Amino acid sequence: VALYGVREKQNPNGFEGIRVLQELDRPSAQRIKQLEQEIARPPASFEERYGCGHRIPLSDVFWTTTTIFNLSANAKQFDPRVWLFTSNDLPCDTPGEQDAAQTRARDLMDIGAQIEFFPLPPEGVAFSMERFWDRVVPVDDEDFVGRAVVTLGNLERWIRMREHRKRTLQRLSFELCPGAEIAMSIYCTTIEARVPYPVYLLNENNKLLKSETKHLCPSTGAILHPVEDVETYVEVAGQRVNVTRAEVAATKHFGEPGMKLLGFKAASSLQPHHRIFHSYFVHPNDKGITGSSALCQALIDKMIAERLMAIVRYTARRNAEPCLVALFPQTEEVDNDGVQTRSPGFHMVRLPWAEEIRQIEFPIAEKLELDPELVRAARAAVSAMRLDGFRPGCAENPV
């Protein structure tokens, strides 16, 4: 949280009129309490404490923001985003200052930062984007100021929606054809909740205990080296054939991790019994390969128009066996406030192998007649188990 146009300076670059109120860090109770105290501060007290109305180059603001992100935020772990609030539609006096601000804003967006602009026009005063701000921030709406006012009213709900972010499970390349690849990120949408493994502590000081496994010789009791003293073998024709650990690892290597397009099939060809595992969500990753989102969106639009699904060879890790998966396209959806409610990408469904599909037969006794009342009762019991309209996150954690 930074203030600009104030009396004092406190920022990494030492620019006048810019004070960093809170450094870039994770939220905490103390930081939230500090912001609440600043919000409750009267205007007269705020002007006495920080001062306001000082003219400073806007380029210094963008420059300071870029420096903060470069020093405190790893681009591989965070998505930098700037929320800019102002009531001044012409913060730069000269064309030179406007060009400098535009250049520094472009440098900020070049590191992957997204600028969210919130104009705060005083009551009864018009705020014009054409005077300056449309050159600095991306504007794609004629009534940008009116839409921003609506967005500002829903800012608290917007923050809560963006607070719970999905962690990336994997980042892989998706080969469409030889020489054409796009970068994809894989997310796990649904996973089974398991009981955590027990943690063993020393009863004297509650320090974490570490377990070590050692191989002992049954004859001498000496400690065996896991590589030099222990051999692995494969039994062939009644004889033991020694193999090294490197050879065992090589037999498990089927190729580099990634996804390779094999072809397309009609989306209706996937049957309910083909789903033997929970699905994943695949989203384009522009940080890996520039232009992945544009090419992925073109592929999604074409697949939806043709009602197709993609058949892909998927290798999750270096020593994991490959499997066949089906990719179902999904388009982006936004609500009336412009907040994204559904991301563009693919739902990845793992397909079973031939031996995993079994024909199950249920023997029925001859001349068995079922009471129609029992059939209706069984059908009603099964129907009562359906959860129509269920979505992950709609139920609170009861624990």
Side-chain angles (χ1 to χ4, degrees), residues 12-156:
N13 296 337
F15 292 140
E16 296 290 340
I18 301 177
R19 189 185 192 282
V20 178
L21 197 61
Q22 288 189 352
E23 298 289 343
L24 191 64
D25 201 353
R26 298 185 181 277
S28 63
Q30 183 178 1
R31 291 164 63 88
I32 295 175
K33 184 177 180 180
Q34 180 186 0
L35 289 180
E36 290 178 346
Q37 292 175 352
E38 294 297 336
I39 293 174
R41 188 189 297 270
S45 175
F46 183 88
E47 185 173 0
E48 181 183 358
R49 173 66 180 86
Y50 300 107
C52 59
H54 296 265
R55 303 288 292 187
I56 65 169
L58 189 62
S59 58
D60 293 350
V61 177
F62 292 126
W63 194 347
T64 302
T65 306
T66 304
T67 303
I68 292 175
F69 282 137
N70 289 332
L71 294 177
S72 306
N74 187 354
K76 296 183 178 180
Q77 298 180 355
F78 301 95
D79 293 329
R81 182 182 294 110
V82 179
W83 286 1
L84 182 61
F85 302 86
T86 183
S87 59
N88 188 0
D89 58 357
L90 187 60
C92 301
D93 295 331
T94 64
E97 291 184 0
Q98 295 180 7
D99 295 339
Q102 186 177 1
T103 301
R104 291 301 178 184
R106 191 182 303 112
D107 295 340
L108 178 61
M109 290 186 286
D110 286 342
I111 66 173
Q114 180 182 356
I115 301 178
E116 300 283 353
F117 183 66
F118 296 94
L120 303 174
E123 187 176 357
V125 179
F127 191 100
S128 176
M129 295 290 297
E130 290 76 10
R131 298 188 66 185
F132 169 72
W133 287 108
D134 59 349
R135 299 171 52 187
V136 177
V137 297
V139 178
D140 54 359
D141 194 346
E142 296 181 357
D143 188 20
F144 181 85
V145 177
R147 186 173 61 85
V149 171
V150 176
T151 305
L152 186 62
N154 298 329
L155 188 59
E156 182 178 358

Side-chain angles (χ1 to χ4, degrees), residues 185-206:
S185 298
I186 300 179
Y187 301 87
C188 184
T189 57
T190 304
I191 192 170
E192 180 183 357
R194 299 179 180 272
V195 178
Y197 290 102
V199 178
Y200 296 97
L201 305 175
L202 186 61
N203 57 359
E204 298 177 356
N205 50 18
N206 284 341

Side-chain angles (χ1 to χ4, degrees), residues 298-317:
L299 181 61
I300 290 173
D301 295 340
K302 189 63 176 179
M303 290 176 61
I304 291 179
E306 300 292 337
R307 298 182 180 179
L308 296 175
M309 67 176 180
I311 305 299
V312 176
R313 172 181 170 175
Y314 169 57
T315 304
R317 291 171 297 277

